[in-house]
Amino acid sequence: MRIGTIERQTKETQISVGVNLDGKGKAEINTGIGFFNHMLTALSVHSGISMKVNVKGDLDVDCHHTIEDTGIALGQALAKALGAKSGIARYGTAYIPMDESLAMASLDLSNRPFLVFNCEFTNQSCGDYDLCMTEEFFRAFAFNSGMTLHINLLYGTNDHHKAEAVYKAVAHALKTAVAENSDGSTLSTKGVL
């Protein structure tokens, strides 16, 4: 079973995260931020990775700690579920349209964390979700899972659509990358990741 769970407690957030890479994308998400719930549900459903995410954060301050710390915990849970990262496809790339918007994500589960994020939003927020936190979430997620992640928002006008296209592009790239390969080998000339 490719499962990872993380409990993260700080003075700013209390987070419980569980992922099942083979769980068929069942999502149970409660972060206290409606639009973020929507995005994480899309990430779960479209990646095929079942996720349980429960967060109590200092939303009286703003959404920053809640979103960034969720990225940290989710990345750590993904890394735990992947273990040594042997027996997986490792790479994934996806282009996802959302009405007038188009996003691309390409990733490598390499143990060499990096983020390239080329996305611009017009407005400050969607509901209680600050759109600038999209980059912070994916940075935390990538660095704590050991993922090289490139995200490019090619175009779009509606910020809801743009953000959703980004999350779904990452989800589909991740679905490809975590898929088990045919012989259980490690896809690396080094023999390990």
Side-chain angles (χ1 to χ4, degrees):
M1 294 284 292
R2 300 187 301 162
I3 292 173
T5 59
I6 293 291
E7 299 283 336
R8 178 180 166 85
Q9 305 285 324
T10 73
K11 291 181 179 179
E12 298 166 339
T13 58
Q14 294 83 48
I15 299 176
S16 172
V17 171
V19 300
N20 181 345
L21 302 188
D22 305 303
K24 311 302 182 199
K26 182 179 176 185
E28 295 178 31
I29 312 293
N30 182 13
T31 67
I33 305 166
F35 187 77
F36 191 39
N37 292 346
H38 180 43
M39 294 299 97
L40 292 181
T41 298
L43 185 65
S44 175
V45 169
H46 285 266
S47 68
I49 299 172
S50 289
M51 298 180 187
K52 289 185 179 180
V53 178
N54 284 297
V55 185
K56 287 183 74 177
D58 57 355
L59 295 178
D60 57 310
V61 175
D62 67 8
C63 65
H64 189 113
H65 301 139
T66 297
I67 293 172
E68 183 176 35
D69 288 7
T70 299
I72 291 169
L74 196 56
Q76 290 172 347
L78 177 62
K80 199 171 184 181
L82 287 167
K85 297 186 172 104
S86 59
I88 60 169
R90 178 179 165 181
Y91 296 97
T93 298
Y95 286 82
I96 295 296
M98 180 72 183
D99 295 347
E100 84 298 337
S101 300
L102 181 66
M104 182 277 287
S106 189
L107 61 86
D108 175 11
L109 297 171
S110 61
N111 283 334
R112 291 191 306 277
F114 202 86
L115 176 68
V116 175
F117 187 85
N118 295 311
C119 306
E120 290 190 19
F121 299 101
T122 305
N123 299 298
Q124 179 179 332
S125 63
C126 281
D128 293 330
Y129 175 94
D130 289 346
L131 288 159
C132 66
M133 289 307 302
T134 307
E135 181 173 6
E136 298 304 320
F137 169 77
F138 283 113
R139 180 178 292 109
F141 183 55
F143 275 73
N144 285 275
S145 62
M147 176 192 305
T148 298
L149 176 59
H150 292 244
I151 303 172
N152 291 288
L153 179 61
L154 283 76
Y155 48 79
T157 56
N158 181 292
D159 283 337
H160 183 129
H161 297 162
K162 290 190 285 188
E164 191 163 344
V166 164
Y167 275 87
K168 287 179 177 177
V170 172
H172 281 272
L174 192 56
K175 182 176 188 174
T176 300
V178 302
E180 294 178 293
N181 64 24
S182 59
D183 60 4
S185 63
T186 299
L187 186 59
S188 170
T189 55
K190 299 178 188 72
V192 295
L193 291 174

Coordinates of all heavy atoms in Angstrom, one line a residue, residues 94-131:
A94 N 1.4 17.6 -18.3 CA 0.0 17.7 -18.7 C -0.3 19.2 -19.1 O 0.2 20.1 -18.4 CB -0.9 17.2 -17.6
Y95 N -1.1 19.3 -20.1 CA -1.7 20.6 -20.5 C -3.2 20.4 -20.2 O -3.8 19.5 -20.6 CB -1.5 20.8 -22.0 CG -0.1 21.3 -22.4 CD1 0.9 20.3 -22.6 CD2 0.2 22.6 -22.6 CE1 2.1 20.7 -23.0 CE2 1.4 23.0 -23.0 CZ 2.4 22.1 -23.2 OH 3.7 22.4 -23.6
I96 N -3.7 21.4 -19.4 CA -5.1 21.3 -19.1 C -5.8 22.6 -19.4 O -5.4 23.7 -18.9 CB -5.3 21.0 -17.6 CG1 -4.7 19.6 -17.2 CG2 -6.7 21.2 -17.1 CD1 -5.5 18.5 -17.9
P97 N -6.9 22.6 -20.2 CA -7.7 23.8 -20.5 C -8.8 23.9 -19.4 O -9.3 22.9 -19.0 CB -8.3 23.5 -21.9 CG -8.4 22.0 -21.9 CD -7.3 21.4 -21.1
M98 N -9.1 25.1 -19.1 CA -10.3 25.4 -18.3 C -11.0 26.5 -18.9 O -10.6 27.7 -18.7 CB -9.9 25.7 -16.8 CG -11.0 26.0 -15.9 SD -11.9 24.5 -15.5 CE -13.2 25.2 -14.5
D99 N -12.0 26.3 -19.7 CA -12.6 27.3 -20.5 C -11.6 28.1 -21.3 O -10.9 27.6 -22.1 CB -13.5 28.2 -19.7 CG -14.7 27.4 -19.1 OD1 -14.9 26.3 -19.5 OD2 -15.3 27.9 -18.2
E100 N -11.4 29.4 -21.0 CA -10.5 30.2 -21.8 C -9.1 30.2 -21.4 O -8.2 30.7 -22.0 CB -11.0 31.7 -21.8 CG -10.5 32.5 -20.5 CD -11.0 32.0 -19.2 OE1 -12.0 31.3 -19.1 OE2 -10.3 32.3 -18.2
S101 N -8.8 29.4 -20.3 CA -7.5 29.3 -19.7 C -6.8 28.0 -20.1 O -7.4 27.0 -20.3 CB -7.5 29.4 -18.2 OG -8.1 30.6 -17.8
L102 N -5.4 28.1 -20.2 CA -4.7 26.9 -20.5 C -3.4 26.9 -19.6 O -2.7 27.9 -19.6 CB -4.2 26.9 -21.9 CG -3.4 25.6 -22.4 CD1 -4.3 24.4 -22.3 CD2 -2.9 25.8 -23.8
A103 N -3.2 25.8 -18.9 CA -2.1 25.6 -18.0 C -1.3 24.4 -18.3 O -1.9 23.4 -18.8 CB -2.5 25.6 -16.5
M104 N 0.0 24.4 -18.1 CA 0.9 23.3 -18.3 C 1.7 23.0 -17.0 O 2.2 24.0 -16.4 CB 1.9 23.5 -19.5 CG 2.8 22.4 -19.8 SD 4.3 22.2 -18.7 CE 5.3 23.6 -19.4
A105 N 1.8 21.8 -16.7 CA 2.7 21.4 -15.5 C 3.5 20.2 -16.0 O 3.1 19.3 -16.7 CB 1.8 21.0 -14.3
S106 N 4.8 20.3 -15.6 CA 5.7 19.2 -15.9 C 6.5 18.9 -14.6 O 7.0 19.9 -14.0 CB 6.7 19.6 -17.1 OG 7.4 18.5 -17.5
L107 N 6.6 17.7 -14.3 CA 7.3 17.4 -13.0 C 8.1 16.1 -13.1 O 8.0 15.3 -13.9 CB 6.3 17.3 -11.9 CG 5.2 16.2 -11.9 CD1 5.6 14.9 -11.3 CD2 3.9 16.7 -11.2
D108 N 9.1 16.0 -12.1 CA 10.0 14.9 -12.0 C 10.1 14.6 -10.5 O 10.5 15.5 -9.7 CB 11.4 15.3 -12.6 CG 12.4 14.2 -12.4 OD1 12.1 13.1 -12.0 OD2 13.6 14.6 -12.6
L109 N 9.7 13.4 -10.1 CA 9.8 13.0 -8.7 C 11.2 12.5 -8.5 O 11.5 11.3 -8.4 CB 8.8 11.9 -8.4 CG 7.3 12.4 -8.6 CD1 6.4 11.2 -8.5 CD2 7.0 13.4 -7.5
S110 N 12.2 13.4 -8.4 CA 13.6 13.1 -8.5 C 14.4 13.2 -7.2 O 15.6 12.9 -7.2 CB 14.2 14.2 -9.5 OG 14.0 15.5 -8.9
N111 N 13.8 13.7 -6.2 CA 14.5 14.0 -4.9 C 15.4 15.2 -5.1 O 16.3 15.5 -4.3 CB 15.3 12.8 -4.4 CG 14.5 11.8 -3.7 OD1 13.4 12.1 -3.2 ND2 14.9 10.6 -3.6
R112 N 15.1 16.0 -6.2 CA 15.8 17.3 -6.4 C 14.8 18.4 -6.5 O 14.3 18.7 -7.6 CB 16.7 17.2 -7.7 CG 17.9 16.3 -7.6 CD 18.8 16.4 -8.7 NE 18.2 16.3 -10.0 CZ 17.9 15.1 -10.6 NH1 18.2 14.0 -10.0 NH2 17.4 15.1 -11.8
P113 N 14.3 18.9 -5.3 CA 13.2 19.8 -5.3 C 13.6 21.2 -6.0 O 14.6 21.7 -5.8 CB 12.9 20.0 -3.9 CG 14.1 19.6 -3.1 CD 14.8 18.6 -4.0
F114 N 12.6 21.6 -6.8 CA 12.7 22.9 -7.5 C 11.4 23.3 -8.0 O 10.5 22.5 -8.2 CB 13.7 22.8 -8.7 CG 14.3 24.1 -9.1 CD1 15.4 24.6 -8.5 CD2 13.7 24.9 -10.1 CE1 16.0 25.8 -8.9 CE2 14.2 26.1 -10.5 CZ 15.3 26.6 -9.9
L115 N 11.1 24.6 -8.0 CA 9.9 25.1 -8.6 C 10.1 26.2 -9.6 O 10.9 27.2 -9.3 CB 9.0 25.7 -7.5 CG 7.7 26.3 -8.0 CD1 6.7 25.3 -8.6 CD2 7.0 27.1 -6.8
V116 N 9.6 26.1 -10.8 CA 9.5 27.2 -11.7 C 8.0 27.5 -11.8 O 7.2 26.6 -12.2 CB 10.1 26.8 -13.1 CG1 9.8 27.9 -14.1 CG2 11.5 26.5 -13.0
F117 N 7.6 28.8 -11.6 CA 6.2 29.1 -11.5 C 6.0 30.4 -12.4 O 6.4 31.5 -12.0 CB 5.8 29.4 -10.1 CG 4.3 29.6 -9.9 CD1 3.4 28.5 -9.7 CD2 3.8 30.9 -9.8 CE1 2.1 28.8 -9.5 CE2 2.4 31.1 -9.6 CZ 1.6 30.0 -9.4
N118 N 5.4 30.2 -13.5 CA 5.1 31.3 -14.4 C 3.6 31.5 -14.6 O 3.0 31.0 -15.6 CB 5.8 31.1 -15.8 CG 7.3 31.1 -15.7 OD1 7.9 32.0 -15.1 ND2 7.9 30.1 -16.3
C119 N 3.0 32.1 -13.6 CA 1.6 32.3 -13.6 C 1.3 33.7 -13.1 O 1.8 34.1 -12.1 CB 0.9 31.3 -12.7 SG 1.3 29.6 -13.1
E120 N 0.4 34.4 -13.8 CA 0.0 35.7 -13.4 C -1.6 35.8 -13.2 O -2.3 35.3 -14.0 CB 0.4 36.8 -14.4 CG 1.9 37.0 -14.4 CD 2.3 38.3 -15.2 OE1 1.4 39.1 -15.4 OE2 3.5 38.3 -15.5
F121 N -2.0 36.4 -12.1 CA -3.4 36.5 -11.8 C -3.7 38.0 -11.8 O -2.9 38.9 -11.5 CB -3.7 35.9 -10.4 CG -3.4 34.4 -10.4 CD1 -2.3 33.9 -9.8 CD2 -4.3 33.5 -11.0 CE1 -2.0 32.6 -9.8 CE2 -4.1 32.2 -11.0 CZ -2.9 31.7 -10.4
T122 N -5.0 38.3 -12.1 CA -5.4 39.7 -12.2 C -5.9 40.3 -10.9 O -5.6 41.4 -10.5 CB -6.6 39.8 -13.3 OG1 -6.1 39.3 -14.5 CG2 -7.0 41.3 -13.5
N123 N -6.6 39.5 -10.2 CA -7.2 39.9 -8.9 C -6.4 39.4 -7.7 O -5.5 38.6 -7.8 CB -8.6 39.4 -8.8 CG -9.5 39.9 -9.9 OD1 -9.7 41.1 -10.0 ND2 -10.0 39.0 -10.8
Q124 N -6.7 40.0 -6.6 CA -6.0 39.5 -5.3 C -6.4 38.2 -4.9 O -5.6 37.4 -4.4 CB -6.2 40.6 -4.2 CG -5.5 40.2 -2.9 CD -5.7 41.2 -1.8 OE1 -5.9 42.4 -2.1 NE2 -5.7 40.7 -0.6
S125 N -7.7 37.9 -5.0 CA -8.2 36.7 -4.4 C -9.4 36.1 -5.1 O -10.1 36.7 -5.9 CB -8.6 37.0 -2.9 OG -9.7 37.9 -2.9
C126 N -9.7 34.8 -4.8 CA -10.9 34.1 -5.1 C -11.5 33.7 -3.8 O -10.9 32.8 -3.1 CB -10.6 32.9 -6.0 SG -10.4 33.2 -7.7
G127 N -12.6 34.3 -3.4 CA -13.1 34.1 -2.1 C -12.1 34.5 -1.0 O -11.5 35.6 -1.1
D128 N -11.8 33.6 0.0 CA -10.9 33.9 1.0 C -9.5 33.4 0.7 O -8.6 33.3 1.5 CB -11.3 33.2 2.3 CG -12.6 33.9 2.9 OD1 -12.7 35.1 2.6 OD2 -13.4 33.2 3.5
Y129 N -9.3 33.0 -0.6 CA -8.0 32.4 -1.0 C -7.2 33.5 -1.8 O -7.7 34.0 -2.8 CB -8.3 31.2 -2.0 CG -7.1 30.6 -2.6 CD1 -6.5 29.5 -2.1 CD2 -6.6 31.0 -3.9 CE1 -5.4 28.8 -2.7 CE2 -5.5 30.4 -4.5 CZ -5.0 29.3 -3.9 OH -3.9 28.7 -4.5
D130 N -6.1 33.9 -1.2 CA -5.2 34.8 -1.9 C -4.5 34.1 -3.0 O -3.7 33.2 -2.8 CB -4.2 35.4 -0.9 CG -4.8 36.4 0.1 OD1 -6.0 36.8 -0.1 OD2 -4.2 36.7 1.1
L131 N -4.7 34.7 -4.2 CA -4.1 34.0 -5.4 C -2.6 33.9 -5.4 O -2.0 33.0 -6.0 CB -4.6 34.7 -6.7 CG -6.1 34.4 -6.9 CD1 -6.7 35.4 -7.9 CD2 -6.3 33.0 -7.5

